[in-house]
């Protein structure tokens, strides 16, 4: 299988839900939710891709860094590159239904592990959460279940299950605090006060789990997350799926990263290539999450397809590091940026 075949097969299997466009930028699928699109106008999804395309890197090719390192440690995982597969629930209703929830979670978790990285798994329905958790358990805890910000004690029940399943980390996608699409589950979600967040983080730690807060878009929330004891946060607007009024994540990442002192800051939204990974790292991220391209690779080519796509991404990252003059991925920083209009 090659990338072209993988994409062709994904186009067929996605059943029209995802067109597998040459550039995955949210235009063709605007407003398609359920589906793969961004909410309403799709503007926040498009803003993610547009913001990254406006970042230009500085080329440095007179140096000796011919084989740069890409490995990194994150939340107790040793990764071949600073990339995680983003949590994506709803294979049945978001991705054309070719794969069951169970099979999609299995592909994402096992494919990510086989490519030397790790996958997050999603939530929203009980089936989605349980299938993701089971896949992580089968992989010996190699993966991060990301739980919706359920109201009351239900979040703690999910953390109990994650701990029992052998997970080492758990996340919460706080950007879905007003997610109406969850109405079907008939279980309420809610924003969290700083005190509630601290209780959740303490609850994770007392169960032996590290805690990842996903969906931070402001320095104010980032500081609260740091004070609450989170182990990492993700600058994310949920791939533009929760609010059409948000800026591209790359635009807010530098300010968020500067606002915390010890907390690792991750980012997602619109990352499509090795150069995009380096752009996010240069803007202040320690690692990135990638959503839709991993869904396309998983649906199009199962574990083999995801591994193929991720290995190509790593080759592109190595190429970008060489062209930026970096001997190691940890050397990325603002000095490799040639221009970003908002900086
Ligand atoms: C079909 C689909 C389902 C998703 N489900 C979840 C989920 O269950 N939990 C979550 O935290 N994020 C979910 N996300 C958001 C992704 O984790 C991620 O933030 C986003 O896709 C990143 O943007 P990108 O797709 O442009 O890479 C979902 C995204 C898509 C496209």
């Amino acid at each position: 299988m090659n990338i072209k075949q993988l994409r062709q097969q994904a186009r067929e299997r996605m059943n029209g839900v995802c067109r597998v466009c040459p550039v995955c930028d949210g235009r063709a699928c605007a407003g398609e939710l359920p589906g793969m699109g961004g909410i309403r106008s799709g503007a926040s999804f498009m803003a993610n891709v547009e913001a990254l395309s406006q970042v230009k890197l500085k080329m440095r090719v007179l140096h000796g860094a011919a084989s740069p390192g890409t490995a990194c440690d994150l939340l107790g995982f040793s990764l071949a590159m600073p990339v995680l597969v983003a949590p994506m629930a709803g294979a049945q209703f978001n991705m054309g239904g070719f794969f069951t929830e169970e099979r999609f979670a299995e592909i994402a978790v096992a494919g990510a592990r086989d490519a030397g990285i790790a996958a997050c798994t999603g939530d929203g329905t009980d089936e989605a959460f349980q299938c993701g958790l089971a896949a992580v358990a089968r992989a010996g805890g190699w993966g991060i279940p990301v739980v919706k910000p359920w109201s009351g004690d239900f979040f703690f029940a999910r953390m109990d299950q994650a701990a029992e399943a052998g997970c080492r980390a758990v996340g919460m996608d706080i950007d879905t605090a007003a997610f109406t699409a969850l109405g079907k589950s008939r279980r309420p979600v809610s924003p969290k006060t700083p005190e509630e967040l601290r209780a959740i983080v303490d609850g994770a730690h007392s169960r032996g789990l590290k805690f990842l807060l996903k969906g931070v878009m402001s320095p104010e929330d980032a500081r609260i997350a740091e004070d609450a004891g989170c182990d990492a946060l993700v600058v994310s607007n949920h791939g533009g799926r929760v609010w059409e009024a948000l800026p591209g994540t790359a635009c807010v990442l530098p300010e968020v990263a500067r606002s915390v002192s010890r907390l690792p800051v991750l980012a997602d939204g619109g990352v499509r290539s090795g150069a995009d990974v380096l752009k996010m790292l240069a803007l202040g991220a320690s690692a990135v999450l990638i959503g839709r391209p991993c869904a396309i690779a998983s649906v199009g080519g199962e574990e083999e397809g995801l591994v193929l796509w991720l290995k190509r991404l790593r080759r592109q990252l190595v190429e970008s590091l060489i062209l930026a003059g970096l001997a190691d991925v940890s050397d990325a920083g603002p000095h490799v940026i040639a221009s970003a209009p908002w900086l």
Side-chain angles (χ1 to χ4, degrees):
M1 176 181 303
N2 59 36
I3 296 281
K4 198 174 164 201
Q5 291 163 334
L6 177 163
R7 288 171 59 81
Q8 182 53 36
Q9 191 143 284
R11 203 171 284 117
E12 288 159 18
R13 291 178 169 180
M14 285 278 195
N15 238 334
V17 168
C18 173
R19 287 80 167 169
V20 190
C21 301
V23 182
C24 174
D25 59 6
R27 284 178 204 283
C29 55
E32 294 182 3
L33 207 159
M36 295 294 281
I39 195 165
R40 303 192 185 105
S41 64
S44 300
F45 177 176
M46 292 182 225
N48 286 341
V49 178
E50 179 57 27
L52 272 175
S53 80
Q54 285 186 36
V55 179
K56 304 295 175 196
L57 299 174
K58 188 195 282 185
M59 188 156 78
R60 294 289 317 278
V61 282
L62 297 175
H63 59 75
S67 27
T70 60
C72 77
D73 289 326
L74 185 74
L75 294 168
F77 296 89
S78 292
L79 306 175
M81 59 180 165
V83 174
L84 297 171
V85 173
M88 283 176 286
Q92 301 265 264
F93 45 88
N94 287 324
M95 303 176 201
F98 186 85
F99 288 118
T100 60
E101 202 70 53
E102 185 182 14
R103 180 70 188 120
F104 181 80
E106 177 71 30
I107 295 168
V109 170
R113 182 200 55 201
D114 293 351
I117 63 165
C120 304
T121 59
D123 190 7
T125 61
D126 282 336
E127 189 193 11
F129 179 75
Q130 301 303 344
C131 290
L133 190 61
V136 174
R138 280 195 297 278
W142 194 261
I144 306 175
V146 176
V147 183
K148 290 274 172 282
W150 304 115
S151 303
D153 286 342
F154 192 70
F155 194 94
F156 291 85
R158 291 273 209 242
M159 285 203 290
D160 282 339
Q161 288 188 319
E164 279 160 26
C167 295
R168 55 190 85 181
V170 72
M172 175 168 73
D173 51 334
I174 190 62
D175 49 10
T176 56
F179 210 20
T180 46
L182 289 173
K184 279 191 287 237
S185 72
R186 283 190 226 96
R187 197 176 284 127
V189 287
S190 55
K192 305 296 174 214
T193 64
E195 295 72 31
E196 286 170 326
L197 179 61
R198 178 173 284 279
I200 287 170
V201 176
D202 289 348
H205 290 166
S206 69
R207 290 165 174 80
L209 301 163
K210 294 196 185 299
F211 187 82
L212 173 72
L213 186 69
K214 176 171 180 281
V216 170
M217 286 292 284
S218 65
E220 292 87 348
D221 279 356
R223 278 191 290 268
I224 292 171
E226 184 165 60
D227 290 346
C230 292
D231 298 292
L233 67 78
V234 188
V235 171
S236 174
N237 59 21
H238 215 93
R241 290 166 72 81
V242 291
W243 196 12
E244 70 279 28
L246 289 166
T249 50
C251 295
V252 301
L253 171 59
E255 200 188 355
V256 169
R258 276 195 304 269
S259 70
V260 294
S261 48
R262 55 142 200 100
L263 192 61
V265 171
L266 283 56
D268 76 13
V271 176
R272 303 290 177 258
S273 65
D276 286 344
V277 176
L278 181 54
K279 287 177 182 183
M280 286 293 206
L281 301 182
L283 292 167
S286 312
V288 303
L289 279 63
I290 302 182
R292 294 171 181 92
C294 292
I296 292 169
S298 300
V299 172
E302 304 178 50
E303 286 89 340
E304 185 194 344
L306 183 55
V307 170
L308 185 75
W309 193 84
L310 288 170
K311 288 197 166 162
R312 188 182 73 151
L313 182 80
R314 186 175 171 277
R315 285 196 302 277
Q316 293 172 352
L317 177 59
V318 167
E319 187 184 286
S320 288
L321 292 170
I322 294 171
L323 293 174
L326 302 178
D328 192 88
V329 79
S330 60
D331 298 332
H335 63 287
V336 307
I337 294 175
S339 80
W342 56 89
L343 286 181

